[in-house]
Amino acid sequence: MALDLKPVKGGGQHRLRLALKMAWRDIRRHKGRSALIIALIALPIFAMSAAATAGQSMLATPNETVLHELGQTQGRLSGMGALNSTMVQSLRGDLGYPYSSDDQDQNFVAASPADVVPAGYRAITAQATQLTTPVGQAQMPLQTVVTDALDPAFAGKYELLDGVIPAGPNQAVGSPGLFDRFELDVGEKLTTSAGTFELVGSVRDAGASDSNAFLYLKTNQLPAAALASAGPTTVYLAGDKPINWADAKNFNAKGVQVTSHSLLLSPPSLTERPAQPNDDASNSAQQNVLTMALTGALIGVLALLEVGLLAGAAFAVGARKQQRDLALLTTSGAEGGLLRTVVTASGIWLGLAGGVIGAVLGTAAAVIGVLYIRAQGHVLFAGLHIQWIGVVVLIVVGLLAGWLAAMVPARAVSKQATLSALKSGRTADAPSKWTTRIGIGMAILATLAMAAGGVIAVATGNGPHMLQAQPLYLGLIIVGAVLLVLAMICLVGRIIDLLTARTSWLPVPLRMAARDSARNRGRTVPAVAAVLAAATLSGALMVGTASVMQQVSDNHGWQYNLNQVGIPLQYEESTPSDAHGAVGADPAHVVTVDPAKVTAALKTSVGPDVETHVLRGGTPSNSCPSGSLNDDGEYVSPPCIGWVLAEPEANRCEMTDGGRPVDVADWRCSGAMNTTNFGTFLPPIVVGGEDELAALLGREPNDAAKEALTSGGIVITNKIYADNDGNASVISIDFHAETSYSNAAVGRGDTKGPTFLRSSYVPLSSKALPAVVEAPEKPLHFYGVVSAETAATMGMPVDERTLLITAAGPLSLASGDKVAASLAPFMGPFGGFALEEGPPTFVNLMLWLIVVGGALITLSAAGITAGLALADGRNDHATLASVGADTKLRKAISGSQTLMTAMLGTVLGIVAGAIPVIVVLSLQSGVAIVIPWLQMGALMILVPLFGAAAAWVLTKGKLPMTRRQTLA
């Protein structure tokens, strides 16, 4: 009877059930390896699920936007700076940007929002103003919101956290930050320049953090003079009738825009309201979110790639441990497909477990974090938005990651000869030429993808389609980055061959490690690839983080170094004719401050570690006397002589019509004095010595700078002021005379020709001094430092202008108020005390956490790789021990193997990660590319050394007894 070789019905399902059962038993038998693979898959899923929920929670839904911005009102009216009656507002009102296609109408006068309130609505006005409140003898500024914050129409926008609604004209409410700043409790009184109010409640603004100090008053609680000096009026419309697009156009024709409840929730169709060029700018937040999502996708893909490679290495070790069992299964009639299914079934089980655990825990962590941060009164998250679809997708991603990670070892095991497996011999893998060819092809495709993204970015430029094209070119660059990583992984084998071809000169451990790496590609390539993927993530994060931090620092208007502040040593006391102490008051009322008394007060209020330096400068340094009308009714300004540095014509920074440097990377467009900073009291040219120079630089000056001060030279903060001979020209100018400003060409009296970043002046006198460039840590607003002897030689009149204060650390608002109170007897009653805080601290903290996290991921990858290599090479170590190799040699060989794989993977990974980030940053206008060589070099050294040390420690002196084997 002939054999029936037709497949049995349901045989595939039976084989799958058998494979799943065998895989489950293997997982339970090897709990440690299984837990490691689950953790590897769960960690990136955890991070991505947490990021998905947290990121989505940062985006306000239309309903949340309406609630937080408008409360229960139908909308709010505000001015929009209308140039004519044809200007069109954004659909989002004052949350977007208006647009006008016509020129300015000189006869057009915009109406006040309060004058265009339609019938059927109750108007609620809102303004912002600044009052003062006494702290000791000092009068501290106090931000005040003038509106009925607890009107029922504002439910959802304002919330009463504690206390009651004000019932009288002498009662008010404040934000939680107000109570914290002035150490008040509900029911206590606060004295302000508008009167004394009993604070009967604490109010939370849905659009502002609780840490902000706000006082909420009604319109009738402010004097008329205070109302007149308040900011623009915004009118909220409470009523039942929705405000549609036709109403918005009527408001626009009068120069008023409306932020409408109806328009935010139900935008009009394109037939009713055609698309406007300002729509993209108004929706830039969504575009930024999409860009962030694409960037997060790149990081997620790299993380999953790393996990897949690490898990793949773990699966490979497990599969080789299963070779004998699988070979026995083959001898009983199992086909290669069943063997592959058995191994990949382990990937399915472990991937599913890792996906579920990571997605659930990540979402739970994000939920807890969002709820906690919102409970603390921060506005980082608009609401809690759990991405349930994203959770399911990430679980599937985890399952696929486990399945794909098991595919390569499953394929290798299924091809293993049965007899060879039963003999437990190890044969070297035959290298494939196709792998190298595929790697070269992927490298070419990666180059083309990133080049195409760059071309699209350059072609769109700053045009109207820039925002729409941004996801496309960023997506191409991300695809190119992934292809570049895969290309390097495919080329690792060939690179190993090239590096290990001539190793006879190396010490014995390194020589044996090199030969073993070349022989056992199946073990070496996954190890190098895993470290490569992790280092790619770290390289991308390091370059991106360093560049972003530099951009944040450059964009910050640094007035002083971190935790520094300068206070003027002269101030103008107010007089009856000049009630506000304005510049130009009677010189007889200019008060000189004793720096010794201020320093003594600071030692008490700030702490004994505070440092002070008296900065002298040419007069007048901080202000010029105002002019007056003569008998003929002409305004006459007295001379205002100042001392500055002349900028050589060749060193000027040319600007575009849009107000940006022609070349952002031009060295002439950066550094100190590159912006106009009106908040600093630093003299333009400081007269002092080494101590003053060190305080301004934020570090000890170099020897050349010290020599310049003592030898009659000048230490300049920016090399743009040095000519070809190494000299800087100190010139005296009259600020009240006609000058040639930055919008005029050098040597021209008109405004035609190229425009420049900094002003050029007509000198009254000039003195060339030998110059030494010593740039401060931050781009502060002063030209440089000369000694008192050099200033006297130039004929520069000098007096004490500023006391530079350097504290050991930051101060809270309440502490700053107390310091200002201690200085009031010497500095007058008005003004606060605030140290330079630099960019937002949470930005720097998040960026550094990213860098540290990336480095830890790479280190952990090296450690895991070392452990897997030792587990896989245990038989090799047994062979070495059997031929007389001592523990020291075996440890050295283990360390050398991991050192080579980790170093190769780290170098290739950092290069692969840095390239796409550099491409992206080069396409961003105004972003400097910063390559952190020190941190990258440290990673290249630390990761291999860490991996080698882990391998050396984990290599046991005594090997476990192995069963008798037959050599192949």
Side-chain angles (χ1 to χ4, degrees):
M1 180 178 178
L3 293 175
D4 185 5
L5 299 179
K6 294 181 181 180
V8 179
K9 186 177 180 180
Q13 297 178 2
H14 175 72
R15 285 194 299 270
L16 179 59
R17 288 195 298 269
L18 176 62
L20 290 173
K21 184 179 295 186
M22 292 182 64
W24 180 250
R25 289 176 178 174
D26 184 72
I27 290 171
R28 295 181 62 184
R29 188 164 56 245
H30 301 93
K31 295 183 175 62
R33 186 178 69 228
S34 301
L36 172 63
I37 296 174
I38 290 175
L40 288 173
I41 296 174
L43 282 175
I45 299 296
F46 173 91
M48 286 188 287
S49 62
T53 299
Q56 193 66 28
S57 298
M58 296 172 66
L59 303 178
T61 63
N63 285 319
E64 289 170 340
T65 300
V66 167
L67 187 66
H68 297 166
E69 295 289 340
L70 304 175
Q72 306 303 315
T73 64
Q74 292 296 333
R76 65 180 175 219
L77 303 176
S78 59
M80 63 175 179
L83 303 175
N84 47 55
S85 60
T86 62
M87 180 170 280
V88 180
Q89 70 167 69
S90 163
L91 283 174
R92 295 168 56 84
D94 57 17
L95 301 177
Y97 302 93
Y99 168 75
S100 177
S101 59
D102 299 329
D103 296 332
Q104 182 175 0
D105 184 357
Q106 300 292 341
N107 298 321
F108 177 76
V109 178
S112 170
D115 296 335
V116 296
V117 176
Y121 296 96
R122 179 170 61 91
I124 309 173
T125 61
Q127 290 177 278
T129 188
Q130 181 172 286
L131 304 177
T132 60
T133 182
V135 177
Q137 299 183 37
Q139 293 290 334
M140 306 306 301
L142 177 61
Q143 301 299 322
T144 305
V145 178
V146 186
T147 190
D148 187 2
L150 296 180
D151 189 297
F154 280 146
K157 178 175 176 61
Y158 297 108
E159 176 188 359
L160 183 64
L161 299 177
D162 189 17
V164 297
I165 299 175
N170 295 324
Q171 293 183 338
V173 292
S175 66
L178 181 74
F179 290 91
D180 293 339
R181 177 180 179 182
F182 298 108
E183 299 179 350
L184 297 172
D185 293 323
V186 173
E188 294 188 287
K189 294 184 177 181
L190 177 68
T191 300
T192 71
S193 54
T196 300
F197 301 96
E198 179 187 1
L199 298 178
V200 296
S202 175
V203 170
R204 171 176 291 168
D205 183 352
S209 173
D210 282 359
S211 60
N212 294 316
F214 290 116
L215 176 66
Y216 296 93
L217 297 176
K218 297 180 182 179
T219 304
N220 58 6
Q221 292 179 291
L222 280 182
L227 277 177
S229 62
T233 300
T234 300
V235 180
Y236 289 83
L237 303 177
D240 298 325
K241 181 183 177 183
I243 300 174
N244 56 32
W245 181 245
D247 299 325
K249 291 195 294 185
N250 292 332
F251 289 127
N252 295 167
K254 301 174 184 178
V256 176
Q257 63 183 341
V258 59
T259 306
S260 167
H261 177 286
S262 175
L263 294 178
L264 287 172
L265 293 182
S266 303
S269 63
L270 291 177
T271 56
E272 183 181 358
R273 191 261 187 191
Q276 301 290 342
N278 60 325
D279 290 346
D280 288 335
S282 299
N283 295 325
S284 59
Q286 286 82 352
Q287 295 290 339
N288 291 335
V289 170
L290 181 57
T291 301
M292 292 174 61
L294 289 171
T295 304
L298 171 61
I299 296 174
V301 168
L302 292 177
L304 283 175
L305 187 60
E306 177 211 355
V307 167
L309 292 167
L310 284 173
F315 276 121
V317 173
R320 280 194 283 270
K321 298 295 183 182
Q322 286 182 285
Q323 276 186 359
R324 188 175 181 85
D325 296 337
L326 296 174
L328 290 173
L329 188 63
T330 304
T331 60
S332 63
E335 299 176 353
L338 179 59
L339 301 185
R340 286 194 299 270
T341 305
V342 170
V343 178
T344 53
S346 297
I348 293 174
W349 281 118
L350 298 177
L352 179 62
V356 171
I357 293 172
V360 172
L361 292 182
T363 301
V367 169
I368 294 172
V370 170
L371 293 178
Y372 175 78
I373 291 175
R374 283 179 54 82
Q376 298 301 309
H378 299 288
V379 294
L380 179 62
F381 299 108
L384 177 60
H385 307 149
I386 300 177
Q387 288 294 299
W388 295 112
I389 296 179
V391 171
V392 175
V393 170
L394 287 174
I395 291 175
V396 175
V397 167
L399 188 151
L400 291 176
W403 178 67
L404 292 173
M407 280 292 292
V408 174
R411 181 173 176 271
V413 168
S414 66
K415 294 173 63 178
Q416 178 74 40
T418 302
L419 181 59
S420 176
L422 289 173
K423 291 164 62 179
S424 302
R426 172 69 65 83
T427 58
D429 299 327
S432 172
K433 294 181 179 179
W434 279 105
T435 304
T436 302
R437 295 170 183 172
I438 292 173
I440 295 174
M442 284 186 174
I444 295 173
L445 289 176
T447 304
L448 293 176
M450 286 189 278
V455 169
I456 294 174
V458 173
T460 54
N462 293 322
H465 302 293
M466 178 187 65
L467 292 177
Q468 295 95 326
Q470 193 175 52
L472 176 59
Y473 73 75
L474 286 179
L476 285 172
I477 294 173
I478 290 173
V479 171
V482 175
L483 288 174
L484 181 61
V485 174
L486 295 176
M488 287 194 171
I489 291 174
C490 291
L491 294 173
V492 163
R494 183 58 180 162
I495 295 173
I496 290 174
D497 287 343
L498 294 175
L499 293 178
T500 58
R502 300 182 183 276
T503 56
S504 58
W505 58 275
L506 292 173
V508 173
L510 288 174
R511 186 165 68 246
M512 295 186 66
R515 291 176 179 176
D516 182 74
S517 298
R519 184 174 66 91
N520 293 313
R521 278 197 183 185
R523 184 169 62 200
T524 305
V525 172
V528 173
V531 178
L532 187 153
T536 299
L537 186 61
S538 297
L541 291 175
M542 282 186 172
V543 175
T545 299
S547 300
V548 170
M549 291 183 68
Q550 185 64 47
Q551 182 186 16
V552 170
S553 178
D554 292 343
N555 292 340
H556 180 71
W558 290 96
Q559 298 180 355
Y560 306 94
N561 289 314
L562 195 63
N563 297 324
Q564 277 187 345
V565 70
I567 57 177
L569 295 178
Q570 294 181 1
Y571 70 93
E572 295 167 352
E573 193 174 50
S574 59
T575 63
S577 60
D578 186 23
H580 299 287
V583 173
D586 189 343
H589 293 280
V590 174
V591 178
T592 301
V593 179
D594 185 353
K597 294 182 179 180
V598 174
T599 300
L602 289 171
K603 294 286 185 181
T604 302
S605 58
V606 178
D609 295 334
V610 67
E611 297 181 2
T612 59
H613 296 87
V614 177
L615 303 182
R616 294 177 293 171
T619 56
S621 179
N622 297 319
S623 61
C624 290
S626 302
S628 59
L629 298 176
N630 60 16
D631 295 337
D632 297 330
E634 298 176 347
Y635 187 81
V636 178
S637 299
C640 178
I641 307 301
W643 300 79
V644 298
L645 291 185
E647 183 179 355
E649 183 176 350
N651 294 353
R652 306 205 68 191
C653 173
E654 187 173 350
M655 308 291 285
T656 64
D657 294 338
R660 292 187 176 185
V662 173
D663 183 5
V664 177
D666 192 343
W667 62 272
R668 299 172 297 181
C669 303
S670 61
M673 301 298 291
N674 65 333
T675 58
T676 301
N677 195 333
F678 297 103
T680 181
F681 291 107
L682 296 178
I685 297 180
V686 177
V687 179
E690 294 181 10
D691 292 340
E692 289 75 20
L693 177 59
L696 290 167
L697 294 177
R699 65 176 186 277
E700 187 70 18
N702 58 33
D703 294 337
K706 296 177 181 178
E707 176 65 22
L709 287 179
T710 58
S711 60
I714 181 173
V715 180
I716 59 177
T717 59
N718 198 327
K719 61 182 179 180
I720 59 174
Y721 296 107
D723 58 23
N724 294 332
D725 298 327
N727 296 326
S729 297
V730 181
I731 61 175
S732 62
I733 61 172
D734 184 357
F735 286 108
H736 283 168
E738 291 186 2
T739 61
S740 181
Y741 293 99
S742 60
N743 61 346
V746 177
R748 300 170 63 104
D750 53 27
T751 58
K752 298 179 180 180
T755 58
F756 300 96
L757 177 61
R758 291 167 292 269
S759 302
S760 64
Y761 302 98
V762 177
L764 301 177
S765 64
S766 178
K767 175 67 174 179
L769 298 177
V772 172
V773 181
E774 181 77 321
E777 294 290 337
K778 308 301 179 185
L780 303 185
H781 202 71
F782 73 104
Y783 291 100
V785 180
V786 297
S787 65
E789 294 76 14
T790 303
T793 303
M794 293 188 297
M796 177 193 297
V798 174
D799 63 0
E800 296 179 346
R801 305 303 303 181
T802 302
L803 183 67
L804 184 65
I805 303 167
T806 305
L811 296 177
S812 64
L813 283 175
S815 299
D817 292 344
K818 294 178 181 178
V819 175
S822 69
L823 299 181
F826 320 109
M827 301 298 302
F830 291 95
F833 183 89
L835 299 174
E836 173 61 70
E837 298 178 349
T841 54
F842 75 90
V843 174
N844 290 336
L845 178 61
M846 290 298 294
L847 293 176
W848 276 115
L849 286 177
I850 289 173
V851 172
V852 173
L856 289 177
I857 289 173
T858 310
L859 290 172
S860 64
I864 292 171
T865 302
L868 292 174
L870 288 176
D872 191 36
R874 179 175 296 177
N875 292 338
D876 296 341
H877 282 271
T879 303
L880 284 173
S882 67
V883 297
D886 59 5
T887 303
K888 183 178 180 181
L889 177 60
R890 290 190 294 104
K891 283 179 174 287
I893 293 174
S894 298
S896 299
Q897 288 174 329
T898 307
L899 180 70
M900 293 183 65
T901 57
M903 180 169 290
L904 180 58
T906 303
V907 172
L908 294 178
I910 288 178
V911 173
I915 288 175
V917 175
I918 292 174
V919 172
V920 172
L921 293 176
S922 64
L923 301 175
Q924 307 297 318
S925 176
V927 178
I929 299 174
V930 179
I931 300 179
W933 296 108
L934 179 61
Q935 290 85 346
M936 292 171 68
L939 193 66
M940 290 181 185
I941 295 173
L942 288 178
V943 170
L945 290 180
F946 178 83
W952 192 90
V953 171
L954 293 175
T955 301
K956 298 180 179 180
K958 293 183 178 180
L959 292 172
M961 181 67 67
T962 59
R963 59 184 172 83
R964 185 175 180 179
Q965 297 178 353
T966 303
L967 298 177

